[in-house]
Amino acid sequence: MLVTRQLVFKRFWYPVIPISQLEDTPQSFVLLGEKLVVWLDLKGQPIAARDRCCHRSAQLSKGKVTEGNIACPYHGWEFDETGRCVNVPQISDKAQIPKTYKIQTYQCQERYGYAWVCLSDDPIQDIPQIPEASQSDYRLIPEFYETWNCAGLRVMENELDLAHPTYVHTTTFGSTEHPIPDELDIKDTEYGIKVQAKLGVVNPELQRQNLNMEDEQTHRTLDMDWFMPFTCLLRINYPNGLTHIVVNTATPISDSSSQIVQFCLRNDTEEETKAADAVAFDRQVTLEDKEILESTNYDVPLDIKKEQQMMTDKPGILIRHKISALLKKHGETEQTNE
């Protein structure tokens, strides 16, 4: 499946840029092949628009923000949060600026420290709700923001694949004694699927330090949610009462590349576990995934008969079925390179 050729994916929300990167200058981003410019208005709210001036097509992301408006670097035209041109230096009377002077804007919201964008005026579902993000006993820690050369669908399936840790995560938590989960329960939901599982793991020194635990061997109780199409939330519940929540979105840049946006939430304090240490361990895990995922074919077939399957692939199989149903519901057929 080639995501840029499936129009329905434009009707979902994706995190594109950390708000912190927008404080001083506009930024560019490519979402589903569409070049965007993102900036902050006077209220500090993110605004997203097509990264082309309507005058001579210069990239607005190379310009600057003036009183909350994006100013073109070529001739200084300024556009507000609605895309309307509000200042043309070459026209002294602003009332004379033609209404046709405008740029395409898109829906954009701040959530969890990122600017989220939807390329459609009619989103299929809201930005994923994470209750813990508003709870005082949890802290939110940004983790990774980088491009991976793989399909978002591969990343989502990998998040819910409990057979790969034994072989991929050999230096972090994978246990050779537990090649499959001890428990695995999968439920269909309106937003995607929910997976609950129990997996035997090992805890290297850094992880034992982060968890304030002495045991090298233990079990992870996992509560995972896949939010269609490319966001996964993983709650890891540890025996000592700690909950470590990893939120991962594979924002689609193109058919073959994804912007990996990952942050975590934890119900402990900086004094108990330094944020840098928590990120360091998750970073090791993520790099192990990246090496494998970037070796896979980005044109993921939705037809499960085109790849071989096994018992632990059940979450991924359901994901493919649900995306196939989504395409069919909106009058689309799977687009591939074949």
Side-chain angles (χ1 to χ4, degrees), residues 42-54:
L42 283 177
K43 297 179 181 179
Q45 296 302 307
I47 309 298
R50 187 167 180 263
D51 196 11
R52 290 294 179 190
C53 181
C54 61

Side-chain angles (χ1 to χ4, degrees), residues 160-315:
L160 304 179
D161 175 0
L162 297 181
H164 82 279
T166 296
Y167 302 95
V168 176
H169 300 300
T170 55
T171 66
T172 49
F173 69 93
S175 170
T176 57
E177 297 177 7
H178 297 86
I180 62 173
D182 296 341
E183 300 174 10
L184 181 63
D185 182 66
I186 308 167
K187 291 184 174 63
D188 197 353
T189 67
E190 290 184 3
Y191 56 80
I193 63 173
K194 175 178 282 294
V195 178
Q196 294 176 306
K198 187 175 182 181
L199 178 68
V201 299
V202 297
N203 290 312
E205 183 177 352
L206 176 59
Q207 184 66 335
R208 295 200 302 275
Q209 175 184 319
N210 291 342
L211 300 174
N212 294 311
M213 295 173 60
E214 296 182 358
D215 294 340
E216 293 185 13
Q217 301 277 346
T218 187
H219 281 81
R220 284 187 179 184
T221 302
L222 307 171
D223 188 355
M224 300 175 281
D225 290 278
W226 168 63
F227 296 89
M228 191 181 296
F230 305 124
T231 293
C232 188
L233 184 151
L234 167 62
R235 287 183 180 87
I236 308 173
N237 301 304
Y238 292 97
N240 64 355
L242 173 69
T243 297
H244 181 77
I245 302 171
V246 177
V247 181
N248 179 294
T249 298
T251 297
I253 297 173
S254 65
D255 293 324
S256 60
S257 62
S258 306
Q259 188 73 19
I260 305 301
V261 179
Q262 182 168 307
F263 57 91
C264 74
L265 300 104
R266 294 170 61 97
N267 61 344
D268 63 357
T269 65
E270 182 70 12
E271 289 71 28
E272 292 172 305
T273 303
K274 294 185 181 300
D277 289 339
V279 172
F281 180 77
D282 283 352
R283 180 57 168 168
Q284 285 181 266
V285 174
T286 307
L287 289 176
E288 289 172 334
D289 285 321
K290 180 181 181 182
E291 182 177 0
I292 295 298
L293 289 172
E294 289 195 326
S295 73
T296 63
N297 184 355
Y298 65 83
D299 190 4
V300 187
L302 296 182
D303 183 353
I304 64 171
K305 295 179 181 178
K306 292 186 177 181
E307 291 185 338
Q308 301 305 308
Q309 313 293 333
M310 63 180 178
M311 178 273 290
T312 49
D313 294 324
K314 288 181 180 179

Side-chain angles (χ1 to χ4, degrees), residues 12-216:
F12 289 91
W13 290 93
Y14 306 97
V16 296
I17 294 175
I19 293 296
S20 60
Q21 292 189 15
L22 300 173
E23 293 176 354
D24 300 321
T25 183
Q27 298 290 336
S28 62
F29 190 85
V30 179
L31 177 61
L32 286 165
E34 179 70 37
K35 294 181 179 180
L36 306 178
V37 56
V38 187
W39 75 96
L40 298 180
D41 66 11
L42 283 177
K43 297 179 181 179
Q45 296 302 307
I47 309 298
R50 187 167 180 263
D51 196 11
R52 290 294 179 190
C53 181
C54 61
H55 178 218
R56 287 295 182 268
S57 77
Q59 283 186 251
L60 295 170
S61 58
K62 295 183 179 295
K64 62 182 180 179
V65 178
T66 303
E67 296 184 350
N69 302 319
I70 187 71
C72 179
Y74 199 178
H75 296 93
W77 291 22
E78 297 178 24
F79 303 88
D80 67 12
E81 70 278 1
T82 69
R84 181 174 63 95
C85 185
V86 294
N87 182 38
V88 177
Q90 298 79 15
I91 299 177
S92 57
D93 184 359
K94 290 182 173 54
Q96 298 301 313
I97 298 176
K99 293 182 179 180
T100 56
Y101 287 15
K102 59 184 179 181
I103 58 174
Q104 173 70 53
T105 58
Y106 301 100
Q107 293 198 73
C108 188
Q109 296 183 32
E110 178 180 2
R111 192 73 58 85
Y112 314 125
Y114 296 85
W116 292 66
V117 174
C118 180
L119 297 178
S120 168
D121 291 332
D122 185 25
I124 289 176
Q125 59 191 33
D126 294 333
I127 296 172
Q129 294 294 321
I130 306 172
E132 292 85 354
S134 59
Q135 296 178 9
S136 60
D137 55 337
Y138 279 85
R139 54 178 172 144
L140 189 152
I141 305 172
E143 292 200 324
F144 317 121
Y145 178 78
E146 64 185 18
T147 301
W148 287 14
N149 296 314
C150 65
L153 182 50
R154 294 286 190 200
V155 179
M156 293 298 99
E157 291 186 338
N158 180 75
E159 291 287 310
L160 304 179
D161 175 0
L162 297 181
H164 82 279
T166 296
Y167 302 95
V168 176
H169 300 300
T170 55
T171 66
T172 49
F173 69 93
S175 170
T176 57
E177 297 177 7
H178 297 86
I180 62 173
D182 296 341
E183 300 174 10
L184 181 63
D185 182 66
I186 308 167
K187 291 184 174 63
D188 197 353
T189 67
E190 290 184 3
Y191 56 80
I193 63 173
K194 175 178 282 294
V195 178
Q196 294 176 306
K198 187 175 182 181
L199 178 68
V201 299
V202 297
N203 290 312
E205 183 177 352
L206 176 59
Q207 184 66 335
R208 295 200 302 275
Q209 175 184 319
N210 291 342
L211 300 174
N212 294 311
M213 295 173 60
E214 296 182 358
D215 294 340
E216 293 185 13

